[in-house]
Amino acid sequence: MKAIIFITSILMLLSFGCTDDDDYQLPPGNGSGNGNGRPDNEVGMTTSTFQPASLTVSTGTTVRWINDSSVAHTVTSNDGLFDETLQPGQDFSFTFTDAGSFNYVCTLHSGMNGVIIVE
Ligand SMILES: [Cu+2]
C-alpha cells in the first residue's frame, strides 16, 4: 500500500512538472508588458512579423532580437544603426543610448517591420 501511494505521488509530481513546462512554453497572452512572456528587452519573430512589433525601453537598454521562427530574417535599422541577418536560432543585440523612435524592417519580408521606442 505504501508503495502504491509512493508511486502515485511520484506520478503526480511528474505531471505537475509537465504542466509547469507547458505554462512556460505557452504563457497566457494578457496584453501586458511586451506580450508572449518574453523579457522586457527582447523581440522575437514569427515567419512574417516581429514580436512585439513595438517595444518601449529606457535609455541604455540593450535590446535583443532572437529569430525563434523557422525562416531567416534581417533586423535592418531605417537609420543605418544596424543591419543583421539572423538565421533561425540566431540572435542580435543592440544598445540604445539615445532617446527616440527607431524604426527597423526585415528586408526579406515586405511589411515586416518594427519600432523600438527609447524613453
Ligand atoms: Cu523576415
Side-chain angles (χ1 to χ4, degrees):
M1 190 59 184
K2 279 184 179 176
I4 292 172
I5 292 172
F6 178 73
I7 290 169
T8 303
S9 300
I10 294 295
L11 288 174
M12 287 177 68
L13 284 173
L14 287 174
S15 64
F16 281 135
C18 290
T19 301
D20 287 343
D21 288 346
D22 290 345
D23 285 346
Y24 183 77
Q25 293 296 327
L26 297 169
N30 56 13
S32 67
N34 59 8
N36 299 320
R38 296 182 180 284
D40 291 340
N41 66 328
E42 188 173 288
V43 179
M45 299 165 201
T46 69
T47 54
S48 61
T49 61
F50 290 106
Q51 291 289 337
S54 175
L55 182 70
T56 301
V57 299
S58 52
T59 304
T61 298
T62 298
V63 174
R64 175 175 179 255
W65 287 265
I66 170 108
N67 184 358
D68 45 13
S69 79
S70 57
V71 298
H73 293 296
T74 76
V75 182
T76 305
S77 165
N78 293 12
D79 309 303
L81 294 174
F82 44 80
D83 181 13
E84 296 287 327
T85 299
L86 300 182
Q87 299 298 326
Q90 292 186 324
D91 69 300
F92 159 67
S93 294
F94 182 84
T95 301
F96 290 86
T97 54
D98 297 319
S101 204
F102 301 91
N103 291 282
Y104 62 94
V105 300
C106 168
T107 59
L108 303 177
H109 302 104
S110 65
M112 181 173 175
N113 48 53
V115 61
I116 305 297
I117 299 164
V118 185
E119 298 179 331

